[in-house]
Amino acid sequence: MQDVRGKTAFITGGGSGMGLGMARVFVEEGMNVVIADVRQDHLDEALQSFSGQQERVHGLIVDVSDRQAMQNAAEETVERFGKVHVLCNNAGAGIIGPLLDATYDDWDWGINVNLGGVVNGIQSFVPKIREHGEGGHIVTTASMQGLFVGAVAGIYCATKYAAVGLMEALHPELAPHNIGVSAFCPGLVNTNIHEAEKARPERWGNTNYGQAMAERAPEFKKNVLNVGMDPLEVGARVLAGIRNNDLYILTHPEYEQGVRDRYDAILASFKQDHEPPAERVAAEQAVLRFPTYVDELSRLRAGDLPSET
């Protein structure tokens, strides 16, 4: 999807951080953008940042875990701009803490937002992108913790691993419809993820994480998040990934060794101590390899590399 001017994007979690960075870059490139967020204060502040461009920006309060709300948002997006071409499943619950301390509410919040929100986005928006026949793109914000475990955040990692796998599975299904699919796996970004608990719904309020996260938040923002990548740079990298039709949008090269460590450990665990029976291999042919990985590697090796924009 090279030509984005005049196209419409729907961005969840668009009121701040990476989502707002995407929105601002998209608008500068001539796109229409619907910003969805669960927090009214973030949405209000975000909309004020588009001085002179308000006719191409629309804001909605949306809880991505609410299926009907996402369906309504898809309808309103098309009503406002005629069509929708790009879906950015960016909203996330930054839930951090040991699995041994987790409550069912912690699990339900993380799963319903980080994975359920992606499912709701796909179910609500992909049919509308398909029906106009102009092509489009789906971007889901996962994390480097969707590629390897890097912190005490088991719920977060589990949902982000699932989001990456979902995008990998969706990629070949949407390719014939000229709709690209990307798993966006950023590292450290200067966002307000330290305020994640403020967005936790009351229905999932029984937590063993909340107080500890609140106590760590100021120091985490000051000493960690403030040195992260600027959200505008993130937005530019995401747009480049859309234009390049990249399956993986990776923005932080310093995490490469962490990814290698995980996959090296997996590969080293295969035991080549006997020849598998031919009849079993024949029965497994359909699942022994996933062509999308091979195709993406071939494309990148051929020089169709991600832009440095």
Side-chain angles (χ1 to χ4, degrees):
M1 186 176 166
Q2 290 288 327
D3 184 12
V4 298
R5 187 167 294 277
K7 302 297 194 299
T8 297
F10 179 87
I11 306 172
T12 66
S16 65
M18 293 186 293
L20 182 55
M22 295 175 204
R24 291 178 63 185
V25 170
F26 291 0
V27 169
E28 287 297 325
E29 290 295 310
M31 297 183 72
N32 306 311
V33 172
V34 176
I35 298 174
D37 205 281
V38 74
R39 288 181 56 172
Q40 187 69 57
D41 58 335
H42 284 172
L43 188 60
D44 291 342
E45 186 174 349
L47 293 174
Q48 291 174 8
S49 70
F50 291 92
S51 178
Q53 300 169 315
Q54 288 90 344
E55 74 282 356
R56 288 193 283 112
V57 182
H58 185 61
L60 292 174
I61 291 293
V62 180
D63 177 350
V64 298
S65 69
D66 184 332
R67 292 176 177 174
Q68 189 58 56
M70 287 292 281
Q71 290 281 357
N72 294 343
E75 295 291 343
E76 187 166 340
T77 297
V78 173
E79 182 179 341
R80 176 68 176 80
F81 291 115
K83 299 173 184 176
V84 59
H85 303 82
V86 175
L87 167 65
C88 293
N89 289 309
N90 175 72
I95 184 166
I96 308 298
L99 289 172
L100 295 181
D101 292 342
T103 66
Y104 277 119
D105 281 6
D106 292 324
W107 277 104
D108 287 344
W109 184 40
I111 291 172
N112 277 277
V113 174
N114 293 347
L115 181 57
V118 177
V119 172
N120 295 342
I122 291 170
Q123 292 292 108
S124 298
F125 282 86
V126 168
K128 295 190 178 302
I129 298 174
R130 287 180 60 189
E131 70 184 16
H132 58 60
E134 297 177 4
H137 206 96
I138 312 299
V139 178
T140 290
T141 300
S143 167
M144 273 296 163
Q145 292 196 44
L147 299 177
F148 70 97
V149 176
V152 183
I155 296 174
Y156 186 78
C157 291
T159 57
K160 295 302 186 179
Y161 270 51
V164 171
L166 182 53
M167 291 304 97
E168 291 171 340
L170 188 62
H171 185 277
E173 291 196 34
L174 289 185
H177 302 279
N178 195 29
I179 301 173
V181 175
S182 298
F184 171 42
C185 300
L188 187 64
V189 180
N190 189 358
T191 69
N192 61 358
I193 194 172
H194 63 295
E195 297 181 352
E197 285 290 328
K198 293 182 179 180
R200 181 193 286 259
E202 291 184 7
R203 65 186 182 277
W204 296 319
N206 178 25
T207 175
N208 288 329
Y209 292 163
Q211 183 175 350
M213 291 178 68
E215 291 173 352
R216 292 194 302 265
E219 183 178 356
F220 186 56
K221 175 63 175 177
K222 178 181 178 181
N223 298 327
V224 180
L225 293 177
N226 281 346
V227 300
M229 182 176 285
D230 188 289
L232 283 175
E233 182 177 354
V234 168
R237 299 291 187 93
V238 169
L239 181 57
I242 291 171
R243 283 174 161 157
N244 287 319
N245 195 26
D246 293 326
L247 175 56
Y248 307 103
I249 302 176
L250 306 181
T251 55
H252 291 63
E254 61 267 32
Y255 289 86
E256 180 178 345
Q257 189 59 52
V259 176
R260 289 185 182 277
D261 290 343
R262 176 173 186 256
Y263 285 98
D264 285 348
I266 292 172
L267 293 173
S269 298
F270 281 102
K271 307 302 181 186
Q272 303 293 343
D273 54 356
H274 67 280
E275 193 72 23
E279 62 272 19
R280 190 180 77 203
V281 173
E284 293 171 333
Q285 282 299 324
V287 295
L288 284 178
R289 299 183 75 183
F290 187 45
T292 294
Y293 300 139
V294 179
D295 293 345
E296 183 71 3
L297 183 59
S298 297
R299 184 181 72 85
L300 294 172
R301 284 180 171 171
D304 189 10
L305 298 173
S307 169
E308 292 299 321
T309 301

